[in-house]
Amino acid sequence: MTRELLEISGLKTHFFTRGGVARAVDGLDLQVGRGQIVALVGESGSGKTVAGFSILGLVSAPGRITEGRILLNGQDLVGKSDAEMARIRGDRIAMIFQDPMMTLNPVLRIDDQMIETIRIHDRKVSKVEARRRALEALREVGIPAPEARLRNYPHELSGGMRQRVAIAIALLNKPDLIIADEPTTALDVTIQAQILYLIRKLCEEHGTGFIWITHDLGVAAEIANRIAVMYAGRIVEEGPTDAVLDRPHHPYTEGLIRSLPEGQPRGAALFQIPGMTPSLLNLPEGCPFRPRCHRASEACRAMPPERVSAETRFRCFHPANAAEGALHELS
Amino acid sequence: MSFLEIKGLKKTFSTRPDLIARGLGALGLRNSTSPAVHAVREFSASLERGEVLGLIGESGCGKSTVARMLAGITRPTAGRVLLDGHDVIARDTPEARAAALDIQMIFQDAAAAMNPRYRIFDIITEAPLYHGRIKPSQARDKVAEVLEAVSMSPDVADRYPHQFSGGQRQRIGIARALAMQPKLLICDESVAALDVSIQAQVINLFMELREKFGLTYVFISHDLSVVRHLSDRVAIMYLGEIVEAAPAAELFAHPEHPYTRALMTQNPSLKNRARRHAPLAGEVPSPLDPPQGCYFNPRCRQAMEVCRAHHPALAALRAGHEAACFLHSTSRTNP
Ligand SMILES: Nc1ncnc2c1ncn2[C@@H]1O[C@H](COP(=O)(O)OP(=O)(O)OP(=O)(O)O)[C@@H](O)[C@H]1O
Ligand SMILES: Nc1ncnc2c1ncn2[C@@H]1O[C@H](COP(=O)(O)OP(=O)(O)OP(=O)(O)O)[C@@H](O)[C@H]1O
Ligand code: SF4
Ligand SMILES: [Mg+2]
Ligand SMILES: [Mg+2]
């Protein structure tokens, strides 16, 4: 069996609040292979960001990982000390945030922050060598006139350029895995296209695994090899991009795709998923999507087990686009 | 004359350098003079009652500045806005002052524009009471009416903003605008922050309100498929000016400006799987220092000699379809 770059199984990250236990991530299974881009999509509040933070070891009180394993190259990250995780972050795993200023220090020049990032992880690299690598990274992310840009402060760059610098910083130590949380939501279409192109190329060339958190299905369609759909702390459907978008099994995935204006006649009423996102403190029993689901039956009062079709895995008793015989319970 | 006439709107900001730039200036590391930002160089459009004008453009091209000028929040450097024939910028007659209140704006982040300590009732009634659009005795009924228009129960009036989801707060923001009995709604990225499933609710709501109240909209979004879905006319902006405008169906079927075409091929779409073609190169130029000639020329794959020397003017290609580009012979110069 070939070992995946990242294998998450049964991950639970809960927040112990005064109002009760918020099960933000509640039994997450996810694999990412080398050079693979997995889009993590889903409702606001479904636990995407918390899942990313769990991998990075950045969950803080009142939250903690209560169960599960996160294997990176076969090594379990759950239970590692803060110091060990700090070493792994930025060395083996890097993060790109929606706001590049989460990564960039406003009072440091770009070259200073990049050189520092390199030398924190390897003191033996000389300043000259680190500067050369910083320049190379800026060139890779397509920054024009990188020598001049190295001497800039973050506020002297446009939003799109800052995000590319943040990406360059994420790449500096050639991590195995990058987690990006809505990295292009604030950018416009033409700049976003530049970044999508760049990341796809980098993953192919360096074999970097990538988790791209987004609620934009169009972006997921363009960049991802696989799509994982989250609802109320779990992955409810996961598979190759084409299979998930063209033949979704889970009614939530189906609803998401149907509610997009793309492909609809101009001005037609859009499909709406009825109801509201459930409160994590008060999830319905059984399938958490049941109160909003048009396919729900009595059976859905129990938690649906994970099932597999030829292409995807999903959690639903009454999947769409499926010949019942072709589906199997996953034992 | 059309219901809404926007003529030669302009806005120039004289920038104060930000704190860091001023600090560096004081240390002699950078010069700290205050250059002028031509946020909106020229914006003209007209719209009939009940129509939707979609506005698309790159970050920083001046869309929000146009929106804020229309809503009377920012004073234009030049230009006129006529609603039903009344000048809502000059506001020199009682009719014009009333017409200015007929224009309401819905922000990207409705929650940020709400006082967290106010109940929904007060949030909705504050402006219409202040401007005398409703009497205190009518307030309860008005609140119930506008909440119903956005499919919410009148009971929510006694709750606070934090007790609602993002989509619900956005609807409350719309209810608040409706309480002013507007004729023109300016929506600046009003669905951008919403989840796909909630976005569909809000888009449907806009379409219903248009049917029901004959509302006219200026709708700003960077999502091309949302603009296509809602708009009758679309204007594409680049660096402070319109580079193409046409009826929506026509614009999406026959985009003529290279920037519009780039937007359309690069708009993320469910149909574009694992796309590989190289994107448009180059940066959006700064309004502080626009390139000579056509502002798009440094990024344009079809740029010619003339594009680097002269600035193309917006010109009609066919009925109702205008573009500013030298690829079209009608776009003669304007140096
Ligand atoms: N510090 C915290 N204390 C309590 N609950 C928290 C905390 N952080 C996150 N949560 C809860 O965990 C759940 C998952 O949040 P998360 O930020 O992962 O959602 P998301 O899927 O990233 O949503 P979005 O698309 O809006 O970013 C939310 O319901 C949130 O309220
Ligand atoms: N109060 C201000 N003072 C100085 N410059 C301003 C001010 N408001 C806007 N600008 C500048 O005017 C230009 C247009 O800004 P505007 O906010 O209208 O752009 P936009 O098209 O709405 O962008 P986005 O898509 O990012 O919201 C930008 O260069 C901006 O920096
Ligand atoms: S005028 Fe020239 S540079 Fe500008 S968009 Fe047209 S072809 Fe390109
Ligand atoms: Mg998130
Ligand atoms: Mg804006």
Side-chain angles (χ1 to χ4, degrees):
Chain A
M1 183 193 104
T2 59
R3 169 144 270 164
E4 302 278 11
L5 170 64
L6 179 75
E7 290 176 70
I8 302 176
S9 48
L11 181 70
K12 295 192 178 183
T13 304
H14 293 174
F15 288 85
F16 299 86
T17 68
R18 265 193 300 169
V21 181
R23 300 163 193 278
V25 173
D26 201 31
L28 181 93
D29 300 301
L30 184 68
Q31 282 90 41
V32 181
R34 284 187 184 73
Q36 199 173 60
I37 304 176
V38 176
L40 192 55
V41 305
E43 198 90 343
S44 181
S46 61
K48 304 181 295 293
T49 298
V50 171
F53 273 39
S54 302
I55 300 168
L56 290 155
L58 289 177
V59 177
S60 54
R64 71 185 150 80
I65 296 177
T66 58
E67 262 183 71
R69 295 194 307 173
I70 303 174
L71 301 185
L72 183 74
N73 290 319
Q75 194 187 33
D76 198 350
L77 302 183
V78 176
K80 287 238 187 283
S81 72
D82 288 352
E84 283 171 300
M85 277 316 293
R87 210 165 26 245
I88 290 168
R89 276 195 304 271
D91 192 18
R92 306 277 43 99
I93 316 178
M95 177 101 189
I96 302 167
F97 300 92
Q98 176 170 354
D99 178 0
M101 293 314 287
M102 297 269 287
T103 307
L104 301 176
N105 184 333
V107 301
L108 284 185
R109 287 190 349 190
I110 302 299
D111 51 0
D112 291 335
Q113 14 199 332
M114 293 184 84
I115 290 167
E116 184 181 294
T117 306
I118 294 170
R119 298 189 76 225
I120 271 180
H121 283 274
D122 189 352
R123 278 280 153 214
K124 291 194 292 291
V125 180
S126 72
K127 274 214 172 128
V128 175
E129 168 63 11
R131 196 163 206 291
R132 195 194 58 74
R133 274 171 57 186
L135 190 65
E136 184 53 37
L138 287 188
R139 202 167 275 137
E140 268 191 321
V141 299
I143 299 251
E147 296 86 354
R149 289 304 175 194
L150 271 180
R151 287 187 297 275
N152 281 143
Y153 288 85
H155 76 274
E156 296 173 307
L157 308 178
S158 75
M161 239 193 258
R162 270 183 225 158
Q163 189 60 285
R164 274 181 282 171
V165 172
I167 293 172
I169 289 178
L171 299 173
L172 275 178
N173 295 308
K174 301 261 180 298
D176 300 327
L177 177 71
I178 298 179
I179 299 169
D181 197 351
E182 305 268 10
T184 59
T185 315
L187 305 175
D188 35 57
V189 183
T190 57
I191 299 294
Q192 170 170 279
Q194 290 179 4
I195 290 180
L196 296 187
Y197 177 78
L198 168 80
I199 284 178
R200 174 173 278 290
K201 195 159 143 273
L202 290 167
C203 288
E204 278 168 9
E205 285 169 9
H206 297 301
T208 314
F210 215 100
I211 297 179
W212 187 293
I213 299 174
T214 180
H215 64 237
D216 188 331
L217 288 177
V219 169
E222 281 203 8
I223 193 149
N225 306 106
R226 299 179 74 84
I227 294 183
V229 183
M230 269 188 96
Y231 193 82
R234 282 197 175 86
I235 289 181
V236 295
E237 179 150 21
E238 192 269 344
T241 299
D242 288 343
V244 172
L245 294 178
D246 297 336
R247 296 170 294 281
H249 290 320
H250 199 284
Y252 174 66
T253 318
E254 197 191 18
L256 273 187
I257 296 168
R258 276 182 68 195
S259 65
L260 294 175
E262 185 182 333
Q264 302 296 322
R266 282 188 42 235
L270 299 176
F271 174 78
Q272 292 177 214
I273 300 177
M276 279 174 64
T277 312
S279 156
L280 288 181
L281 297 176
N282 188 16
L283 283 178
E285 68 173 316
C287 172
F289 190 59
R290 176 173 54 84
R292 308 175 68 186
C293 183
H294 66 110
R295 306 175 79 94
S297 73
E298 274 309 302
C300 308
R301 290 188 183 280
M303 179 60 84
E306 185 159 279
R307 305 167 79 186
V308 291
S309 69
E311 303 166 298
T312 61
R313 60 191 173 97
F314 58 91
R315 287 179 182 274
C316 173
F317 288 112
H318 308 295
N321 298 312
E324 282 285 329
L327 308 173
H328 312 280
E329 301 277 314
L330 204 66
S331 51
Chain B
M1 178 185 284
S2 298
F3 177 62
L4 174 68
E5 295 270 354
I6 306 170
K7 296 182 178 171
L9 219 46
K10 266 190 190 50
K11 181 70 196 181
T12 306
F13 292 104
S14 56
T15 53
R16 266 170 66 77
D18 64 33
L19 205 61
I20 295 168
R22 265 182 294 164
L24 295 172
L27 295 169
L29 294 173
R30 265 178 76 207
N31 82 30
S32 58
T33 50
S34 318
V37 181
H38 298 280
V40 176
R41 287 160 197 275
E42 154 75 34
F43 189 98
S44 300
S46 60
L47 206 57
E48 299 305 331
R49 192 187 294 269
E51 282 192 329
V52 179
L53 172 68
L55 202 53
I56 301 176
E58 301 231 354
S59 179
C61 72
K63 304 179 297 294
S64 295
T65 307
V66 168
R68 297 164 71 84
M69 289 192 282
L70 294 177
I73 302 167
T74 296
R75 212 173 160 73
T77 310
R80 302 213 299 156
V81 177
L82 302 181
L83 188 73
D84 234 351
H86 303 295
D87 186 334
V88 296
I89 306 283
R91 288 179 224 171
D92 45 7
T93 62
E95 291 78 22
R97 282 190 284 280
L101 293 177
D102 288 336
I103 305 178
Q104 290 295 317
M105 181 151 166
I106 296 167
F107 299 89
Q108 167 165 356
D109 184 358
M114 288 176 194
N115 185 330
R117 283 183 297 275
Y118 275 26
R119 291 173 313 152
I120 302 306
F121 180 87
D122 302 311
I123 288 172
I124 291 176
T125 54
E126 188 184 18
L129 283 175
Y130 176 83
H131 290 290
R133 289 233 149 175
I134 56 172
K135 295 199 204 76
S137 61
Q138 302 168 316
R140 272 282 152 199
D141 287 347
K142 190 74 206 175
V143 168
E145 178 196 322
V146 294
L147 285 173
E148 198 204 313
V150 299
S151 307
M152 293 184 78
S153 142
D155 319 336
V156 309
D158 295 314
R159 296 206 241 152
Y160 293 88
H162 74 263
Q163 295 171 291
F164 296 94
S165 74
Q168 288 173 317
R169 277 198 294 257
Q170 201 65 19
R171 283 195 263 166
I172 292 167
I174 296 166
R176 171 170 62 176
L178 290 179
M180 288 293 283
Q181 295 160 0
K183 294 182 179 153
L184 173 66
L185 275 187
I186 316 287
C187 305
D188 190 359
E189 299 281 8
S190 310
V191 298
L194 302 176
D195 251 356
V196 190
S197 61
I198 300 164
Q199 185 177 300
Q201 285 176 21
V202 175
I203 291 172
N204 285 346
L205 173 61
F206 282 139
M207 293 190 296
E208 274 167 45
L209 294 173
R210 171 190 184 179
E211 285 293 302
K212 212 154 140 193
F213 301 112
L215 284 179
T216 307
Y217 293 84
V218 173
F219 192 87
I220 298 173
S221 173
H222 65 244
D223 186 330
L224 271 71
S225 45
V226 171
V227 169
R228 175 181 166 276
H229 198 77
L230 279 170
S231 310
D232 299 294
R233 283 190 67 75
V234 177
I236 311 284
M237 285 183 78
Y238 197 79
L239 212 65
E241 57 188 28
I242 296 177
V243 293
E244 183 162 7
E250 156 86 7
L251 186 102
F252 283 91
H254 308 287
E256 298 288 1
H257 195 284
Y259 174 59
T260 314
R261 291 192 185 149
L263 282 178
M264 290 189 185
T265 51
Q266 304 192 347
N267 189 39
S269 153
L270 288 190
K271 293 189 203 80
N272 294 330
R273 306 286 163 77
R275 187 153 48 169
R276 300 194 164 269
H277 68 72
L280 209 59
E283 279 294 313
V284 184
S286 154
L288 285 169
D289 182 24
Q292 208 199 335
C294 170
Y295 296 150
F296 190 58
N297 90 70
R299 303 175 70 196
C300 182
R301 290 191 181 135
Q302 285 154 285
M304 304 162 285
E305 198 87 24
V306 57
C307 311
R308 286 181 273 272
H310 297 284
H311 192 76
L314 200 60
L317 307 180
R318 38 190 174 270
H321 194 154
E322 301 171 291
C325 170
F326 290 119
L327 289 173
H328 304 287
S329 54
T330 45
S331 231
R332 273 306 148 219
T333 104
N334 180 12

